[in-house]
Amino acid sequence: MNKRGRKRVLQGTIVSDKMDKSVVVQVETLIQHKVYKKYIKRYKKYSAHDEENQCRIGDVVKITEARPISKNKRFRVSEIVKRAV
């Protein structure tokens, strides 16, 4: 399959749900240090589209790359993996 047909799927935790139909998802990735070979956590925040306003702070969700929905939103919430307690 070519790269054009593949959409990125990321998993992260919701850190903000203050907006209407939007959430901010923090995704954690592990990278290896070039010299010391130790794994380091890197965090990045993505704005994602949540059509039904189902997501709450602390939920673990999967987000899928989509066409630009607004100025900052390039992802859609595809599923809620784990609900916050």
Side-chain angles (χ1 to χ4, degrees), residues 39-56:
Y39 284 96
I40 306 164
K41 290 180 185 176
R42 295 283 185 220
Y43 299 96
K44 187 161 184 188
K45 291 180 183 176
Y46 296 94
S47 293
H49 186 66
D50 177 22
E51 185 64 41
E52 288 91 33
N53 283 323
Q54 295 177 346
C55 301
R56 297 289 166 251

Side-chain angles (χ1 to χ4, degrees), residues 8-10 25 46 48 61-65 75-78:
R8 283 195 300 166
V9 178
L10 303 171
V25 181
Y46 296 94
V61 294
K62 279 190 180 176
I63 54 174
T64 308
E65 197 172 27
F75 285 88
R76 233 174 220 143
V77 175
S78 55

